Amino acid sequence: MLSNEAIVEVRHLSKSFGNNVVLRDINFAVHRGEVVCIIGASGSGKSTLLRCINLLEKPDGGEILYKGQNILEGNFNTVEYRSRMGMVFQQFNLFNNHNVLRNCTIGQTVVVKRSKEEADKIALEYLEKVGMSAFVNAKPKQLSGGQKQRVAIARALSMQPDALLFDEPTSALDPEMVGEVLLVMRDLASSGMTMVVVTHEMQFAREVADRVVFMDGGVIVEEGPPEIIFERPKMERTRTFLRRTLAS
Amino acid sequence: MNSLQFIIKVIVEYWPYLLRGVGYTMLLSISGTIVGFAIGLLVGVVRSIPMPDKKNALWWLLKIVNTLIGVYVEVFRCTPMIVQAMVIYYGIAMLTGFEVDRLLAGFIIISINTGAYMAEIVRGGIMSIDQGQFEAAHAIGMTHWQTMVHVIIPQAVRNILPATGNEFVINIKDSSVLMVITVTELFYYGKIIIALNYRAFETYLVIAAIYFILTFSITRLLRFIERRLDGPKTYDILHSGTSAEAVVEAMALEAKNVK
């Protein structure tokens, strides 16, 4: 599945909130069909990196290359770029005023101007994939956390993006619902979807990721295949972090 | 004759006046609330446009527009409507030399006054929406305008309906101050009736009762609309085997729910 074609490449990226430096000199690439898991302690900058890739945060410096073009340059069409990058949030963020089906079609009809029939068809296809096609009429507030997150994944997939970005997708879920969301994500990964997953689920990262990125203090400390990062990490900081998280 | 008989006499004898007064009062308060609501929405959306990082033309345009909006909101919220009515009505007459139509002047005053209050209510409504809703909309590629129209405004409008109902009720009652520029609404007709029958207490009692009936039925109507907007509390689980069947089933249910 893996190819060498980079979908997004981040170069020398930096970001501060006031005098709090969150990201410093980040270099990072995501290739087509690859599943990258970003791990690290809270406050290490992993969510901010993901949000910078989708321009929900504006980086202070560096470059983000998409199809060889720097998206931080003034004249770049950021709206189109965002529609090509799917995003799944920790807090789901389903549109509360729309039902499940409309949540999955609104981006298609409003942003990429598909017809209602086509959008419905695509949305249902993906809702079926995440096991939520029976709930098309439900409003978000009527669903459980796990169901909401699966709809949110279907919403992102309905845009047929180049890559899916997951920002701690299971952190806000009750323990018994984590499994159903991870199962959907495993399915996606094995179907060849390009995914960047910020997560605290070490088991998931170990089994599903093609590459694991460990971040600490706003820098990428170490990255590599999961068997290397989890079994034989080179850096002391990685070892300390893994000891602490895996012990608990 | 006792008071009760006079009350009945006011209604029986002067009902065409009362009816016309009610008509003008409702015309002013309904149109004023609707136009004021529209002004408030527009102002609220314009104010929510994020400022660009660089000081370009758009930055300056937004700065100027936002300042003008600020002046408008504060001036109309910080002066009594009865004074605004005088200033605008006599001001236009003095500046242009024409006498403005009184009903039109009344409508303009109520609308821009309501607009100033609604602007703040809409701002609060937009602020009450979770930041995640904006982020999710931006993340699927919506522009600021699309985000507002499809995601934020519908939720904000639902949240501010009770406050809008308040404005409506206030407008029904406060349109009475427009009699200072001789707009012939309900209170104005009350004064005319008293000039004819010399029974102030009974006449005002009837006027008060009419105001109460108007506002009370309007608040009930608004609550009904709120419940309609909230939609059904339950949903139907579909049982179709394939997605094509599910679409048909979903559409049938949608059609049913609309009815």
Side-chain angles (χ1 to χ4, degrees):
Chain A
M1 274 301 174
L2 236 70
S3 73
N4 280 330
E5 183 200 347
I7 288 182
V8 181
E9 192 176 350
V10 171
R11 285 185 188 161
H12 306 297
L13 195 76
S14 63
K15 172 73 185 172
S16 309
F17 294 111
N19 57 8
N20 178 18
V21 182
V22 187
L23 296 176
R24 41 188 119 210
D25 198 26
I26 299 281
N27 293 286
F28 170 76
V30 187
H31 303 94
R32 189 169 295 284
E34 192 181 26
V35 178
V36 182
C37 283
I38 307 179
I39 60 170
S42 298
S44 58
K46 53 194 192 313
S47 283
T48 307
L49 172 58
L50 201 71
R51 291 167 60 82
C52 279
I53 292 175
N54 205 13
L55 295 178
L56 287 174
E57 304 289 351
K58 203 165 188 319
D60 299 329
E63 292 179 339
I64 298 175
L65 300 173
Y66 170 72
K67 290 181 179 166
Q69 232 189 322
N70 183 9
I71 63 168
L72 300 178
E73 264 164 19
N75 51 7
F76 189 84
N77 184 351
T78 51
V79 164
E80 206 238 319
Y81 167 74
R82 274 170 155 166
S83 73
R84 307 297 315 151
M85 289 285 137
M87 182 89 177
V88 177
F89 298 87
Q90 184 176 350
Q91 299 294 341
F92 331 121
N93 296 345
L94 292 179
F95 303 130
N96 295 322
N97 55 322
H98 295 299
N99 67 17
V100 164
L101 184 64
R102 188 69 183 129
N103 261 281
C104 298
T105 58
I106 192 164
Q108 300 185 62
T109 54
V110 172
V111 179
V112 290
K113 315 285 179 208
R114 287 181 192 143
S115 70
K116 187 181 177 299
E117 291 72 31
E118 197 190 354
D120 280 353
K121 197 170 145 274
I122 292 171
L124 269 156
E125 190 182 307
Y126 289 112
L127 282 169
E128 211 157 59
K129 201 168 186 168
V130 300
M132 287 300 292
S133 57
F135 295 86
V136 289
N137 285 311
K139 284 284 183 74
K141 67 177 173 196
Q142 296 165 325
L143 303 176
S144 74
Q147 292 175 326
K148 280 186 206 174
Q149 196 59 300
R150 286 188 280 148
V151 172
I153 292 172
R155 172 176 70 180
L157 285 172
S158 297
M159 298 298 288
Q160 301 178 317
D162 290 331
L164 271 189
L165 312 175
F166 292 82
D167 187 6
E168 303 194 24
T170 58
S171 297
L173 295 176
D174 292 336
E176 68 265 33
M177 290 171 181
V178 171
E180 64 185 63
V181 172
L182 289 183
L183 199 67
V184 167
M185 289 169 65
R186 272 172 205 269
D187 265 7
L188 278 179
S190 60
S191 74
M193 187 77 212
T194 310
M195 292 160 65
V196 184
V197 186
V198 168
T199 187
H200 290 290
E201 296 289 335
M202 294 304 150
Q203 192 64 29
F204 177 84
R206 193 174 208 154
E207 289 170 21
V208 181
D210 296 306
R211 185 154 52 97
V212 175
V213 174
F214 171 64
M215 287 184 70
D216 190 31
V219 295
I220 292 178
V221 177
E222 190 170 354
E223 61 178 307
E227 53 276 15
I228 300 284
I229 298 292
F230 285 105
E231 312 291 340
R232 308 184 292 280
K234 290 190 202 73
M235 309 298 283
E236 183 53 39
R237 278 149 90 187
T238 318
R239 279 196 285 271
T240 318
F241 170 76
L242 287 172
R243 220 175 15 247
R244 238 183 275 141
T245 24
L246 295 178
S248 60
Chain B
M1 275 218 296
N2 61 23
S3 279
L4 186 66
Q5 285 168 314
F6 270 111
I7 287 172
I8 294 167
K9 199 161 173 269
V10 167
I11 297 169
V12 172
E13 229 166 80
Y14 299 107
W15 66 267
Y17 283 8
L18 295 171
L19 206 60
R20 215 181 300 165
V22 167
Y24 274 89
T25 293
M26 291 312 284
L27 180 67
L28 280 167
S29 52
I30 291 174
S31 56
T33 307
I34 290 172
V35 174
F37 186 77
I39 294 174
L41 268 187
L42 187 68
V43 167
V45 172
V46 169
R47 270 183 169 181
S48 70
I49 298 173
M51 291 297 261
D53 301 327
K54 293 185 205 81
K55 287 197 178 183
N56 52 19
L58 182 64
W59 189 92
W60 283 107
L61 181 70
L62 278 175
K63 191 85 191 157
I64 292 165
V65 170
N66 280 335
T67 309
L68 289 176
I69 287 172
V71 170
Y72 158 64
V73 169
E74 293 313 330
V75 164
F76 280 89
R77 284 200 313 161
C78 300
T79 53
M81 192 161 86
I82 194 165
V83 179
Q84 292 163 17
M86 292 295 201
V87 171
I88 291 177
Y89 181 65
Y90 291 110
I92 293 175
M94 204 181 77
L95 287 176
T96 61
F98 289 107
E99 199 172 341
V100 208
D101 180 70
R102 282 153 193 175
L103 186 64
L104 182 67
F107 162 72
I108 292 171
I109 290 154
I110 283 209
S111 300
I112 54 183
N113 188 281
T114 309
Y117 284 96
M118 284 307 303
E120 285 298 283
I121 293 170
V122 170
R123 194 166 68 89
I126 291 174
M127 273 164 62
S128 74
I129 306 299
D130 179 35
Q131 194 59 30
Q133 299 282 309
F134 290 86
E135 290 189 351
H138 289 154
I140 58 172
M142 286 194 195
T143 60
H144 177 73
W145 181 248
Q146 289 168 339
T147 304
M148 281 293 156
V149 170
H150 295 283
V151 179
I152 307 302
I153 294 294
Q155 296 183 54
V157 165
R158 169 62 191 88
N159 289 352
I160 65 174
L161 263 190
T164 308
N166 244 351
E167 281 303 309
F168 194 0
V169 166
I170 289 171
N171 279 342
I172 292 175
K173 296 182 294 175
D174 283 6
S175 57
S176 58
V177 306
L178 293 174
M179 65 137 218
V180 296
I181 55 169
T182 63
V183 174
T184 53
E185 43 66 57
L186 185 55
F187 189 74
Y188 183 86
Y189 273 110
K191 295 205 78 119
I192 288 182
I193 293 168
I194 291 161
L196 297 170
N197 69 358
Y198 304 112
R199 302 296 299 196
F201 170 69
E202 290 83 358
T203 309
Y204 281 135
L205 205 61
V206 170
I207 299 286
I210 294 175
Y211 273 118
F212 180 83
I213 292 165
L214 289 180
T215 49
F216 188 76
S217 38
I218 288 296
T219 52
R220 295 297 107 171
L221 181 70
L222 286 168
R223 288 295 287 279
F224 174 74
I225 293 173
E226 269 176 48
R227 279 202 300 276
R228 279 302 295 265
L229 280 183
D230 285 343
K233 291 254 182 290
T234 56
Y235 58 89
D236 307 283
I237 290 182
L238 306 185
H239 302 288
S240 307
T242 67
S243 53
E245 283 167 26
V247 175
V248 176
E249 200 180 335
M251 282 172 172
L253 279 168
E254 204 173 297
K256 192 186 83 188
N257 288 340
V258 166
K259 279 173 208 155

